[in-house]
Amino acid sequence: AQKITQTQPGMFVQEKEAVTLDCTYDTSDPSYGLFWYKQPSSGEMIFLIYQGSYDQQNATEGRYSLNFQKARKSANLVISASQLGDSAMYFCAMRGVRDNFNKFYFGSGTKLNVKP
Amino acid sequence: GAVVSQHPSRVICKSGTSVKIECRSLDFQATTMFWYRQFPKQSLMLMATSNEGSKATYEQGVEKDKFLINHASLTLSTLTVTSAHPEDSSFYICSARDQALGRPFTEAFFGQGTRLTVV
């Protein structure tokens, strides 16, 4: 079965510093995709970054980068130069070929608080 | 990116009544949409997969007769909470994937969510 684990229920970071949010996963799918979403208090889910299991390079999107270590089954999100607006819940998610690429598996989330 | 619009964003209803939530893909066609439920400070729980022109596929433990899903067109899926009770109060959010993009692992786009309160 697919499983996503986020072990940090809450994190604090000082404004302008970098922070790493942890995500590990478990799957037997030969091919899968890993995603990070941000959910502010308003509730909408904002797509941040995607990493394919066969991608050779770690994904980057602006201040977001994904530290993908396939052998360790980890896909940590790194946010550089944190901003106050980064305070939100962050969810790691995965979808794989076994579910016809449709079904998302979400982690339990990490609440990030950016301090001024 | 693609836009998914969900309406209403908030609704308060009386116990025993039914509530309909709409999910629209605004600039792409979605043969498949997904409905999630989220309790406070918890993760998203997939309730059902909505398939255009056919019956929805419900996750284990989700009551089909309580949560009616209709996907009548390529851009609209609706979730109706029937005979609502206070325990149905929750945050409901839909998502859709633009399968025309051709990548198997395209990101899903989410609606804004609906906060349902049953009194």
Side-chain angles (χ1 to χ4, degrees):
Chain A
Q2 322 280 39
K3 188 176 180 182
I4 297 280
T5 302
Q6 294 179 253
T7 58
Q8 306 153 313
M11 290 278 287
F12 284 90
V13 64
Q14 200 70 38
E15 191 179 9
K16 298 181 185 177
E17 292 185 350
V19 63
T20 298
L21 306 184
D22 294 342
C23 173
T24 58
Y25 60 92
D26 191 16
T27 182
S28 54
D29 274 11
S31 181
Y32 49 90
L34 296 156
F35 304 79
W36 277 91
Y37 284 86
K38 172 184 178 181
Q39 187 179 43
S41 57
S42 53
E44 74 266 33
M45 294 286 283
I46 302 168
F47 166 72
L48 296 178
I49 196 167
Y50 157 78
Q51 178 84 44
S53 60
Y54 284 101
D55 292 344
Q56 295 297 314
Q57 292 188 324
N58 286 344
T60 60
E61 289 286 349
R63 295 187 298 112
Y64 305 108
S65 60
L66 202 152
N67 184 0
F68 180 47
Q69 298 187 46
K70 191 172 182 178
R72 298 179 61 182
K73 294 189 175 179
S74 73
N76 298 339
L77 176 70
V78 180
I79 305 175
S80 63
S82 297
Q83 301 172 356
L84 295 179
D86 293 335
S87 293
M89 280 291 288
Y90 288 81
F91 290 98
C92 180
M94 181 181 70
R95 63 154 57 113
V97 64
R98 194 176 301 273
D99 295 305
N100 201 28
F101 314 121
N102 272 332
K103 190 171 180 178
F104 261 124
Y105 295 87
F106 283 92
S108 54
T110 296
K111 184 162 175 59
L112 177 66
N113 285 290
V114 181
K115 299 185 291 183
Chain B
V3 177
V4 175
S5 177
Q6 187 173 339
H7 180 80
S9 57
R10 287 180 180 272
V11 59
I12 300 173
C13 71
K14 290 186 177 180
S15 190
T17 63
S18 295
V19 174
K20 181 185 283 188
I21 303 170
E22 291 188 349
C23 180
R24 292 181 186 275
S25 56
L26 296 186
D27 52 359
F28 66 98
Q29 293 183 332
T31 55
T32 306
M33 293 186 177
F34 306 90
W35 288 95
Y36 294 85
R37 182 174 182 175
Q38 187 180 28
F39 291 104
K41 299 184 180 180
Q42 293 190 23
S43 189
L44 280 71
M45 180 189 77
L46 179 65
M47 299 174 64
T49 302
S50 170
N51 303 297
E52 188 268 336
S54 64
K55 291 183 179 180
T57 304
Y58 290 82
E59 294 298 302
Q60 193 173 7
V62 177
E63 298 178 60
K64 300 178 184 181
D65 296 331
K66 160 67 79 174
F67 300 101
L68 298 180
I69 290 172
N70 184 273
H71 194 152
S73 77
L74 287 172
T75 59
L76 174 64
S77 176
T78 60
L79 168 68
T80 301
V81 183
T82 63
S83 187
H85 291 283
E87 56 265 31
D88 298 325
S89 298
S90 193
F91 187 69
Y92 295 87
I93 191 165
C94 68
S95 79
R97 189 158 64 90
D98 187 354
Q99 289 157 298
L101 290 178
R103 302 193 305 265
F105 297 119
T106 52
E107 64 272 25
F109 298 97
F110 286 82
Q112 302 92 326
T114 298
R115 199 164 300 279
L116 170 64
T117 304
V118 184
V119 297

